[in-house]
């Protein structure tokens, strides 16, 4: 069965490469309570911008993914539903990236998008 057949489009998928990097970074910090918060802010070349931050606090309206290692707030969730969080390494460096089917346009670096 392919990932597309088993993936719930009402959730956010976290790629194995992202899970591995999240676990590695949490281990390096020596704080197992840390989680990666993925969020959306206004701004960037295309209107909205992706943000990533490690933190311990989980709000009541947050959604948790990848065995509670990834947090998405309720406002950002509506823009990220159906997306995939990935981690890539290449000539441009290494970074977390969002593959977002809701984005109509994205900037060249992939850090911002519009709906």
């Amino acid at each position: 069965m392919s990932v597309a057949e088993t993936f719930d489009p009402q959730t956010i998928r976290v790629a194995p490469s992202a899970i591995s990097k999240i676990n590695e970074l949490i281990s390096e910090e020596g704080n197992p309570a840390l989680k990666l918060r993925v969020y959306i802010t206004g701004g960037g070349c295309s209107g909205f911008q992706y943000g990533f931050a490690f933190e311990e606090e989980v709000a009541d309206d947050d959604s948790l993914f990848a065995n509670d290692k990834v947090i998405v707030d309720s406002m950002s969730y509506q823009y990220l539903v159906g997306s995939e969080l990935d981690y890539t390494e290449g000539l441009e460096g290494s970074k977390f990236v969002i593959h977002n089917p809701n984005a109509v346009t994205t900037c060249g670096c992939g850090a911002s998008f519009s709906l």
Side-chain angles (χ1 to χ4, degrees):
M1 202 177 275
S2 74
V3 172
E5 293 172 6
T6 60
F7 176 59
D8 180 356
Q10 295 303 310
T11 191
I12 297 167
R13 183 175 183 278
V14 182
S17 60
I19 292 170
S20 177
K21 189 62 177 182
I22 291 165
N23 287 333
E24 177 185 325
L25 293 169
I26 290 171
S27 179
E28 285 176 8
E29 288 297 315
N31 182 354
L34 287 176
K35 297 164 184 14
L36 178 66
R37 180 172 292 281
V38 179
Y39 59 93
I40 303 295
T41 60
C45 315
S46 298
F48 292 101
Q49 193 166 339
Y50 300 112
F52 307 95
F54 279 96
E55 57 186 62
E56 295 177 12
E57 299 299 316
V58 177
D60 290 338
D61 64 342
D62 284 340
S63 295
L64 294 166
F65 302 94
N67 294 323
D68 298 341
K69 296 290 185 187
V70 176
I71 308 168
V72 178
D73 64 88
S74 61
M75 196 64 145
S76 298
Y77 179 83
Q78 64 186 329
Y79 300 111
L80 293 170
V81 68
S83 297
E84 179 185 47
L85 171 64
D86 199 358
Y87 182 78
T88 62
E89 295 179 1
L91 295 175
E92 299 167 352
S94 39
K95 60 185 175 181
F96 287 104
V97 295
I98 302 286
H99 302 289
N100 189 342
N102 305 308
V104 175
T105 59
T106 59
C107 67
C109 67
S112 67
F113 68 100
S114 65
L115 299 174

